[in-house]
Amino acid sequence: MYLLGCRMYVKCSRCHVALCLKEAQRCQSSAAPLEQADFLKGAPHRKHPGVTNLKTVRLPEQLQEAAQSVLKRAEVKSLTERAHKLSNFLWSRKRAIETSQLREKAILLEKKFLEQERDIHTDAIDHKLEARIRKRVLSELRRTTYNRTPLRYDEDLGLVYMAARLAGGYAAVLRALNEIKKRDPLFVPCSLLDFGSGLGTCTWASHTLWGDSLKEYVCVDSSGDMNTLAEQLLSGGSEVDNPVIKQVYFRQFLPVSPTVQFDLVIAAFSLSELATLDERLNVIFTLWRKTNSYLVLVENGTKDEHLSEISHKPFLLPCNFTQFYYSLALSRSQERQQEKFSYLIISRSAEEEAQKSEHWDMTRLIAKVHRRPRHVQCQLCCANGELKQLAVTAHRHGKDMYRCARSSDWGDLLPMFHAEDDTEHDETQ
């Protein structure tokens, strides 16, 4: 969501296009031939401005060595097995059911059981009916309601989490932040607030992209043990006070002052740890008030997405992306793995106004691109959030757009050109 003046704009992680809600009427599926001078800006097709995917991500060498040192010194038993189990557990977790949902479910069950009782006892007056139905409802709710267990990250669980999620979490955050780096090259943050900082992956990813321009990092995590581990990673795996990244401050609570703002605010894999929707929304609005330029939200790309629930606020339509990365080397070899994640970037600036051209919108590729002999099958999310399937051909859309489409992949951007009329229709070959 972009807040431009007093008008509200929506920008989902699939499209990343600011769009006035009153003006979002339709997404053109047709396209005029792409003019290379307008869009490519002199770049080759394989590196067109819409390419946002990263190559396989590796942890920074200093972070890799520090993590290996910490884990080796800790001598955690069955570390590989426990890391695998934790990873599976995190991906399989569902959100806790909301109180309102639980109440609605109880009412439906009560009506269902009452009808069953009336069918059985048509004439007799049963004075214990109410108590019996209440007991059945409670029993059914206990049997069918998902019981979400909160995780308490002590030192032991923090070490297992490091082995399981350090590399994947870093890759997802780096990919999301790279979107800002590429699309807003003039943005150079001086301060960072990381809510739910965990092992400090957001600090490392931000430093990778912006280096010493960042003068202050404030990491907030309720777990003191996680903060200690994050500090050790910054110090090369030891407790010596000589961090690789300077000016990093760890806290267990958000800064109280409402006037303190940060150029870049990130909440990665932390909203999902909050129990209710109201808590998550309160945190988002609190973080937004502390945002001077960009607020970035990143979550696991599970079927039970945690960002999708706030789409009607409006914030985001559900969507996942992938990023390849090399795992933390717990032995001699590293595995090439795939991180699935969802993200949302909210800006206070009018970045999209820089796109002065009136004849195209940027659309997001939201699925694997299928390259056929004479066309490229693309699934797109358009500027108004509408999903479209488009078969891009050189004959219909021009050689430049066709080559750009063949060079693009899931998560990249493609220009969608406005037609003079709506004569062309969706192509779903």
Side-chain angles (χ1 to χ4, degrees):
M1 181 177 66
Y2 270 46
L3 301 179
L4 307 182
C6 61
R7 304 177 75 183
M8 183 175 292
Y9 285 72
V10 174
K11 182 180 183 182
C12 84
S13 67
R14 293 179 293 189
C15 295
H16 273 260
V17 177
L19 187 69
C20 178
L21 293 178
K22 293 182 179 180
E23 297 172 355
Q25 300 297 326
R26 63 193 177 99
C27 172
Q28 297 285 356
S29 64
S30 57
L34 171 63
E35 297 181 12
Q36 181 172 347
D38 286 349
F39 181 68
L40 292 175
K41 299 177 182 178
H45 297 93
R46 68 180 184 279
K47 295 183 180 179
H48 69 81
V51 174
T52 58
N53 275 292
L54 298 173
K55 294 181 179 179
T56 306
V57 173
R58 293 181 183 271
L59 286 174
E61 185 177 351
Q62 292 165 310
L63 178 56
Q64 172 91 14
E65 293 175 355
Q68 289 172 326
S69 175
V70 170
L71 293 173
K72 183 177 180 180
R73 188 171 62 249
E75 296 182 345
V76 181
K77 293 183 178 179
S78 305
L79 178 61
T80 303
E81 180 183 352
R82 291 181 62 192
H84 182 70
K85 288 182 178 180
L86 177 61
S87 183
N88 288 341
F89 172 76
L90 293 174
W91 283 99
S92 64
R93 278 203 305 178
K94 300 178 181 179
R95 289 193 301 269
I97 189 170
E98 298 290 328
T99 303
S100 58
Q101 296 173 318
L102 195 62
R103 190 180 297 114
E104 291 175 3
K105 189 175 181 181
I107 292 173
L108 292 175
L109 287 172
E110 185 177 2
K111 290 180 179 180
K112 174 184 175 181
F113 294 150
L114 182 59
E115 290 176 359
Q116 291 176 352
E117 290 285 345
R118 286 174 176 171
D119 290 341
I120 297 174
H121 307 284
T122 54
D123 299 325
I125 299 176
D126 191 344
H127 297 289
K128 297 181 180 180
L129 177 62
E130 183 177 343
R132 188 162 63 250
I133 289 180
R134 186 183 301 112
K135 183 177 180 180
R136 288 185 65 187
V137 168
L138 292 175
S139 176
E140 185 67 12
L141 287 176
R142 282 194 294 267
R143 186 182 70 83
T144 60
T145 302
Y146 177 76
N147 183 25
R148 183 184 174 89
T149 305
L151 293 174
R152 305 299 179 191
Y153 285 96
D154 55 12
E155 182 181 6
D156 180 67
L157 185 56
L159 291 166
V160 177
Y161 185 86
M162 185 186 301
R165 296 290 303 132
L166 181 65
Y170 173 84
V173 173
L174 186 69
R175 167 65 179 80
L177 295 181
N178 185 64
E179 185 89 18
I180 300 174
K181 177 78 171 180
K182 181 158 187 176
R183 302 194 66 194
D184 190 4
L186 297 180
F187 173 66
V188 182
C190 295
S191 57
L192 165 73
L193 172 64
D194 181 6
F195 176 76
S197 53
L199 298 171
T201 50
C202 295
T203 292
W204 286 91
S206 301
H207 186 266
T208 296
L209 293 174
W210 289 288
D212 294 335
S213 69
L214 278 160
K215 306 300 182 185
E216 179 186 27
Y217 304 79
V218 177
C219 298
V220 179
D221 199 290
S222 60
S223 170
D225 289 321
M226 289 292 272
N227 288 336
T228 299
L229 288 172
E231 285 186 282
Q232 290 180 16
L233 292 177
L234 287 171
S235 300
S238 66
E239 297 181 0
V240 178
D241 188 18
N242 184 27
V244 175
I245 305 173
K246 312 295 183 184
Q247 308 300 324
V248 182
Y249 305 98
F250 292 92
R251 308 176 53 140
Q252 289 184 275
F253 304 97
L254 281 168
V256 177
S257 174
T259 60
V260 176
Q261 286 192 321
F262 301 83
D263 294 334
L264 182 62
V265 178
I266 310 174
F269 311 107
S270 53
L271 293 178
S272 55
E273 296 298 325
L274 302 177
T276 66
L277 175 58
D278 285 341
E279 287 183 60
R280 292 187 280 276
L281 290 174
N282 287 336
V283 166
I284 289 172
F285 288 122
T286 298
L287 296 177
W288 179 242
R289 287 193 293 269
K290 295 188 178 298
T291 301
N292 185 43
S293 294
Y294 285 101
L295 171 61
V296 181
L297 310 177
V298 183
E299 285 295 335
N300 287 332
T302 59
K303 292 182 179 179
D304 192 36
E305 285 195 52
H306 299 283
L307 291 180
S308 62
E309 64 180 347
I310 53 177
S311 60
H312 63 287
K313 298 302 179 180
F315 272 89
L316 171 71
L317 296 175
C319 196
N320 293 324
F321 297 98
T322 59
Q323 175 61 53
F324 284 101
Y325 68 96
Y326 288 110
S327 63
L328 180 64
L330 299 179
S331 59
R332 292 184 178 180
S333 62
Q334 284 183 300
E335 294 182 6
R336 185 173 183 262
Q337 298 183 352
Q338 189 179 59
E339 177 76 2
K340 196 174 184 181
F341 65 100
S342 176
Y343 72 104
L344 171 66
I345 298 174
I346 312 172
S347 174
R348 288 194 181 275
S349 69
E351 174 212 355
E352 294 299 332
E353 290 184 352
Q355 184 181 311
K356 298 298 183 180
S357 174
E358 297 294 334
H359 62 284
W360 80 67
D361 286 326
M362 298 301 290
T363 62
R364 181 75 65 174
L365 288 160
I366 58 169
K368 186 177 179 181
V369 175
H370 297 283
R371 300 170 182 85
R372 307 304 185 197
R374 294 185 179 179
H375 75 275
V376 184
Q377 192 69 42
C378 302
Q379 186 170 344
L380 302 168
C381 176
C382 301
N384 62 353
E386 186 178 357
L387 301 182
K388 292 285 184 179
Q389 280 214 338
L390 182 67
V392 180
T393 67
H395 173 71
R396 175 167 291 184
H397 305 107
K399 292 181 179 179
D400 285 322
M401 185 174 176
Y402 174 68
R403 290 173 182 172
C404 285
R406 292 196 75 87
S407 301
S408 302
D409 213 333
W410 185 358
D412 287 335
L413 297 167
L414 274 181
M416 183 64 63
F417 289 81
H418 301 296
E420 294 298 327
D421 52 56
D422 222 7
T423 56
E424 296 184 47
H425 301 281
D426 293 353
E427 299 158 299
T428 56
Q429 296 180 23

